[in-house]
Amino acid sequence: MGAHEASKVIHALYNDDEILMDAVKKVKGEHHHIEEIFCPFPVHGLDKAMGLAPTRLAITAFMYGITGLSVAIWLTWYTMIHDWPQDIGGKPNFSWATNMPAFVPIMFELTVFFAAHLMVITFYMRSKIWPFKEAENPDPRTTDDHFLMEIPVHGNEEELKTLLAATGAVEINVVDKH
């Protein structure tokens, strides 16, 4: 196998998400590696069908929420109890715990704020997406109505073409991956 062949991939295009799911199961059943699938919208169960590991983003969201809650607790204690205690409506200002019900909206909002904003940043960093980055999309039709399955070629081009044609691919192209 030459260096040129190692950089070749097959792009199989599908026009229906259910046909794509069946195709993924058949391709994985034949023990072929699927490099990537480009979709115009999220396809439920596709990650499981491809055999991808579960995401750990939920764990990071929880940690970011806990960080936001901690900041909110510190902020309410520091501003209302330690730094500038005030007698508002006859409430005691020497104890955070007795005033905590008044701080619940602040704690909730900062928990959500930290989780949401830090999750967006984490998602973009994990996905290697940043401002002005060029799209890695190999075919613009995958942003509209087609699904593209990318499979590396390792001397089995004809076998893969036959398999993909049998799975219902509407178009099969062999391209050099850059």
Side-chain angles (χ1 to χ4, degrees), residues 7-115:
S7 65
K8 287 169 62 174
V9 293
I10 289 185
H11 288 169
L13 284 145
Y14 297 86
N15 57 8
D16 185 79
D17 58 329
E18 290 181 19
I19 295 172
L20 172 73
M21 283 294 290
D22 291 338
V24 168
K25 290 173 186 170
K26 288 176 186 170
V27 169
K28 293 300 278 183
E30 294 289 326
H31 306 292
H32 294 290
H33 172 69
I34 299 172
E35 188 68 32
E36 187 66 80
I37 296 182
F38 298 88
C39 303
F41 55 83
V43 177
H44 180 69
L46 185 59
D47 53 342
K48 192 173 189 178
M50 286 181 64
L52 299 177
T55 180
R56 294 185 301 265
L57 285 177
I59 297 167
T60 59
F62 178 76
M63 298 306 290
Y64 295 154
I66 293 296
T67 302
L69 180 63
S70 301
V71 168
I73 289 170
W74 175 82
L75 180 69
T76 53
W77 170 82
Y78 183 78
T79 56
M80 299 300 291
I81 307 301
H82 177 74
D83 186 45
W84 196 1
Q86 296 181 35
D87 185 2
I88 302 172
K91 294 180 181 174
N93 56 10
F94 55 83
S95 168
W96 183 87
T98 55
N99 288 306
M100 194 273 299
F103 303 145
V104 167
I106 297 163
M107 293 187 302
F108 172 77
E109 291 298 334
L110 281 181
T111 300
V112 172
F113 180 87
F114 270 66

Side-chain angles (χ1 to χ4, degrees), residues 8-12 14 32 151 153 156-169 171-175:
K8 287 169 62 174
V9 293
I10 289 185
H11 288 169
Y14 297 86
H32 294 290
I151 304 172
V153 175
N156 55 355
E157 184 176 320
E158 292 307 316
E159 175 194 346
L160 282 170
K161 280 183 174 179
T162 306
L163 174 63
L164 293 168
T167 63
E171 186 179 318
I172 300 170
N173 302 314
V174 179
V175 297

